[in-house]
Amino acid sequence: MRAPSSDLPIVFENVSIAASGVPVLDRLSLTLQHGAPTVLIGPNGSGKTTVLRAAMGLIAPSQGRITWGGLEFSPPTRRAIVFQRPTMLRRSAAANVRYALRAARIPRGERETRIAELLALVGLEGFSDRPARRMSGGEQQRLALARALASDPAVLFLDEPTASLDPAATKSLEDVIRAVAARGIKVVMATHDLGEARRLAGYVVLLHRGRVIETGDAEEFFKSPQTAEARKFLAGELLV
């Protein structure tokens, strides 16, 4: 088990973010702590992806502030993100990971061993020479995870990683996410799939219209939601 990351907790304090003048996050306050995976849920457009990007440090608040381990300015050297549709380089699976290791300044003599370890971790043993762009969607998502893990992050952000996958590929990726979390890496993940949230989350954050509606321990949230909005969302009703 790794030591706690100095980037944690990640704290949003009354954060507002707008895109082309349209509010995306609206005075949002949230704390991402050490521990089991935190899963962000909510309707489309609720701000899940923006929270991930802001927590990664890719978007700056227009109002409020974000701190990482108490610091307002923290380079993302111990943080990594996998987007919903990751771009594969025009090279083999191993070469994709090798590129990430080189970018992370891993010593050349360690790279081949790390490539084998990372591909094994995501269930891609034997795929080293496979052209990345010819792999299935699920395989590409697992390769994207391997690349993200190349920098040995302490916090990993995942933006709806199983959104376009079939059930078998979804299960394979969820198994990898569990293995990553078991290594002491803090996983913060957005999903539209409530079943997946139930299976993976230790902590749940329900977002709507750029605000936090309810947060809590996953088991308690799904068993006894405290807000009317959460009860409606879990029942499959639209939030307006």
Side-chain angles (χ1 to χ4, degrees):
M1 187 69 67
R2 69 176 61 239
S5 168
S6 59
D7 278 351
L8 294 169
I10 301 172
V11 180
F12 288 64
E13 298 179 30
N14 294 310
V15 168
S16 294
I17 294 176
S20 301
V22 178
V24 181
L25 298 185
D26 183 12
R27 293 167 289 170
L28 179 142
S29 293
L30 173 67
T31 299
L32 301 173
Q33 298 275 13
H34 302 279
T38 295
V39 176
L40 312 180
I41 60 174
N44 289 339
S46 60
K48 300 187 295 295
T49 295
T50 302
V51 167
L52 295 180
R53 289 174 177 263
M56 181 66 189
L58 301 177
I59 307 174
S62 51
Q63 295 182 16
R65 71 173 190 155
I66 303 171
T67 58
W68 293 267
L71 302 176
E72 280 199 60
F73 303 100
S74 175
T77 55
R78 301 301 312 282
R79 307 190 294 274
I81 188 167
V82 176
F83 298 109
Q84 185 174 342
R85 296 179 180 85
T87 300
M88 296 290 106
L89 302 177
R90 291 181 181 274
R91 53 190 76 176
S92 69
N96 267 261
V97 179
R98 188 177 295 112
Y99 178 87
L101 291 168
R102 184 167 63 248
R105 298 184 179 181
I106 302 301
R108 184 185 297 271
E110 299 178 14
R111 290 176 193 167
E112 297 309 307
T113 299
R114 290 287 301 278
I115 289 169
E117 291 173 349
L118 289 167
L119 290 178
L121 175 62
V122 301
L124 292 177
E125 305 97 326
F127 282 71
S128 293
D129 297 328
R130 185 80 56 89
R133 293 194 175 187
R134 296 183 187 175
M135 296 167 73
S136 70
E139 290 163 354
Q140 288 187 356
Q141 281 288 4
R142 284 185 278 155
L143 180 57
L145 267 174
R147 289 191 315 200
L149 295 169
S151 62
D152 193 28
V155 187
L156 177 64
F157 301 104
L158 304 175
D159 187 9
E160 304 211 19
T162 65
S164 58
L165 304 185
D166 63 30
T170 293
K171 182 184 182 305
S172 294
L173 193 61
E174 288 182 0
D175 288 344
V176 173
I177 293 169
R178 290 188 188 93
V180 168
R183 293 164 70 100
I185 298 171
K186 173 65 181 182
V187 173
V188 183
M189 173 178 162
T191 184
H192 68 282
D193 184 337
L194 290 179
E196 182 167 74
R198 290 175 187 269
R199 291 189 294 271
L200 294 178
Y203 194 80
V204 171
V205 179
L206 172 62
L207 300 170
H208 182 46
R209 292 187 172 180
R211 293 185 176 183
V212 173
I213 300 301
E214 185 169 336
T215 65
D217 173 83
E219 184 176 355
E220 288 301 315
F221 174 85
F222 287 112
K223 183 170 66 176
S224 303
Q226 299 300 301
T227 61
E229 292 94 335
R231 290 191 289 272
K232 288 178 65 176
F233 186 72
L234 292 179
E237 299 179 33
L238 294 177
L239 297 184
V240 296

